[in-house]
Amino acid sequence: MSLNKKSVDDINVKGKRVLVRCDFNVPLKEGKITDETRINAALPTIQKLLNDGGKVILCSHLGKVKNGPNEGESLAPVAARLSEKLGKDVNFVSDYNVTGEAATKAVEAMNEGDVVLLQNTRFRGAEETKNGEEFSKELADLADVYVCDAFGSSHRAHASVAGVTKFIRAKGGENVVGYLMQKEIDFLGNAVENPVRPFVAILGGAKVADKLNVISNLLEKCDTLIIGGGMAYTFLKAQGYEIGKSLVDDTKLDYCKEMLEKADKLGKKLLLPVDSVTITDFPNPIDAKVDVEVYDVANMPADREGCDIGPKTAEMYADAVKAAKTVVWNGPMGVFENPTLAAGTVAVAKALAETDATTIIGGGDSAAAVNQLGFGDKMSHISTGGGASLEFLEGKELPGVIAADDK
């Protein structure tokens, strides 16, 4: 996958209509936005296009939209916050058709430096189906230039992410990436394809099944692969250890054996826990007080459940990070939502915060953990995409990245 893409710095948008695909999929509670991270992340690209004299048309999805359009998933609250943050009126087109007459008229009336926000793209129905072709063309009809700045959606070949680019290109327009996309490509893409070594990858989370291809791809790219979280117990069982009531995927034992052999064959280090923090019953609620006992993995009792890496493992993983020049981390080391079972995740986050290496957090739970624990500003890059960053780590081509013009 070519990662050398044209960006907003490579084009002249003065007087042009610029369609920008943002990621405004923000959490809402009773119509109020509870986390503005994604809106803030889009501002530098929007501001750049406005300063350069573009007519900026923004679009995004919000929520899953299972039962058709509804006001609960309208982008109206986003328009209101954007107006405040940009210090100018954002003209929100509330039409559920997204690209209908109301949108066309709003765009026709734009002057340089104006902003229009279209309604939730998913209100149009399945963006990725045949209907998507027509929708892609209608989106392209509104604009001269297209900017993709929605990394969190870039793994989906949807109309507003990839489909639109074909029609922009057909009329001689350019398709480029915004600052947020560029940063993701620079950090995540290049970390995997062209890392400064030693390159250490840390994978956690509950299930091996979620990370099958990631494990295999990263073993080929990294020098050391560290496994933590619930999925470590399937690896430990594959090595013949008693894992008690710990999370396990018995259908993936052979796969884990294959990966251990692969690491051996490639001369890579694959680090697994040497001790484990165990409990008798899973906490309910998840952050309830819980009694723990630490066991070496060779002595795990059959009636206990491992829920975090133990202190010896935390130290071993931290040492591996200290020697690294590039570290990619995706997935917590234990049930980090519980303060007692968060020690392993804290230890890894602390090690990353203290290293001089380039540290990249691959979205999802690890991003949440790092931010909750107060280490966010110590990381080189925290990815904005959960599924998209995982697919990048798998070595997959992302439709939203491929669709942009090469430099």
Side-chain angles (χ1 to χ4, degrees):
M1 171 164 54
S2 166
L3 297 177
N4 197 16
K5 296 294 179 181
K6 278 190 184 173
S7 83
V8 285
D9 287 330
D10 300 315
I11 54 171
N12 175 11
V13 298
K14 187 162 175 59
K16 291 183 180 171
R17 301 167 303 160
V18 189
L19 179 70
V20 188
R21 175 54 157 98
C22 300
D23 183 5
F24 292 145
N25 186 23
V26 293
L28 291 173
K29 195 172 183 184
E30 290 163 15
K32 297 268 187 296
I33 299 165
T34 57
D35 182 348
E36 297 179 350
T37 307
R38 286 177 171 165
I39 295 175
N40 294 333
L43 294 176
T45 294
I46 297 169
Q47 206 67 67
K48 157 80 176 160
L49 296 167
L50 291 174
N51 293 345
D52 289 357
K55 301 172 181 179
V56 179
I57 307 147
L58 307 173
C59 68
S60 173
H61 79 282
L62 172 65
K64 298 258 191 278
V65 191
K66 286 201 163 61
N67 302 313
N70 66 87
E71 275 308 297
E73 288 169 308
S74 164
L75 283 172
V78 173
R81 281 307 282 137
L82 269 175
S83 297
E84 289 166 27
K85 287 174 184 288
L86 293 169
K88 60 163 60 208
D89 185 46
V90 171
N91 181 8
F92 177 55
V93 181
S94 59
D95 178 14
Y96 285 0
N97 187 46
V98 188
T99 50
E101 193 184 341
T104 310
K105 283 187 171 157
V107 171
E108 277 170 4
M110 290 178 88
N111 296 312
E112 289 181 14
D114 283 354
V115 187
V116 162
L117 173 62
L118 303 178
Q119 184 55 280
N120 187 341
T121 55
R122 294 214 175 144
F123 281 9
R124 250 312 263 273
E127 268 200 88
E128 69 278 17
T129 60
K130 285 208 177 83
N131 156 41
E133 191 81 349
E134 188 185 322
F135 187 29
S136 298
K137 186 178 183 310
E138 288 172 23
L139 283 167
D141 286 345
L142 295 174
D144 307 303
V145 179
Y146 172 73
V147 178
C148 187
D149 211 23
F151 180 71
S153 299
S154 65
H155 59 313
R156 304 190 189 284
H158 287 180
S160 62
V161 176
V164 62
T165 60
K166 179 172 78 170
F167 296 100
I168 291 281
R169 199 170 285 122
K171 59 182 185 179
E174 292 174 287
N175 297 298
V176 305
V177 297
Y179 289 135
L180 187 63
M181 280 284 281
Q182 186 61 57
K183 199 173 174 215
E184 296 279 8
I185 291 167
D186 287 348
F187 278 99
L188 260 180
N190 290 325
V192 177
E193 294 308 321
N194 192 20
V196 181
R197 296 187 184 278
F199 171 27
V200 174
I202 306 168
L203 291 178
K207 300 187 191 112
V208 175
D210 294 344
K211 307 238 164 90
L212 292 178
N213 299 329
V214 183
I215 295 166
S216 188
N217 187 49
L218 285 178
L219 266 182
E220 288 165 23
K221 314 277 188 185
C222 70
D223 301 295
T224 301
L225 178 61
I226 291 174
I227 305 269
M231 67 182 196
Y233 297 100
T234 304
F235 274 90
L236 291 169
K237 186 169 180 181
Q239 288 184 315
Y241 289 110
E242 166 66 64
I243 58 161
K245 299 192 294 184
S246 308
L247 203 60
V248 67
D249 183 347
D250 286 320
T251 67
K252 297 291 178 283
L253 292 171
D254 286 342
Y255 172 83
C256 290
K257 285 175 191 164
E258 270 170 47
M259 291 303 110
L260 290 160
E261 283 164 21
K262 182 173 180 171
D264 207 32
K265 204 180 287 176
L266 294 172
K268 307 294 175 81
K269 275 189 195 157
L270 197 157
L271 300 182
L272 290 165
V274 292
D275 59 346
S276 181
V277 176
T278 70
I279 58 176
T280 49
D281 292 301
F282 201 79
N284 183 17
I286 201 161
D287 56 355
K289 200 169 174 333
V290 64
D291 291 322
V292 300
E293 286 176 17
V294 178
Y295 287 92
D296 284 355
V297 294
N299 305 320
M300 169 90 83
D303 61 346
R304 296 189 72 84
E305 178 179 358
C307 278
D308 191 16
I309 56 172
K312 290 182 202 165
T313 306
E315 197 177 323
M316 176 173 80
Y317 289 3
D319 284 344
V321 166
K322 279 176 198 154
K325 287 279 184 281
T326 306
V327 186
V328 172
W329 178 21
N330 185 289
M333 297 292 99
V335 186
F336 81 100
E337 301 90 341
N338 186 299
T340 315
L341 304 171
T345 302
V346 173
V348 169
K350 196 163 178 292
L352 264 68
E354 289 168 359
T355 180
D356 294 331
T358 298
T359 49
I360 300 150
I361 311 301
D365 280 344
S366 359
V370 165
N371 285 323
Q372 276 172 32
L373 299 168
F375 293 115
D377 59 344
K378 302 280 195 305
M379 304 300 158
S380 310
H381 179 62
I382 298 177
S383 179
T384 53
S389 58
L390 263 184
E391 291 195 14
F392 228 157
L393 294 178
E394 278 180 39
K396 276 191 183 172
E397 295 193 325
L398 305 187
V401 176
I402 302 167
D405 299 342
D406 291 331
K407 275 193 184 174

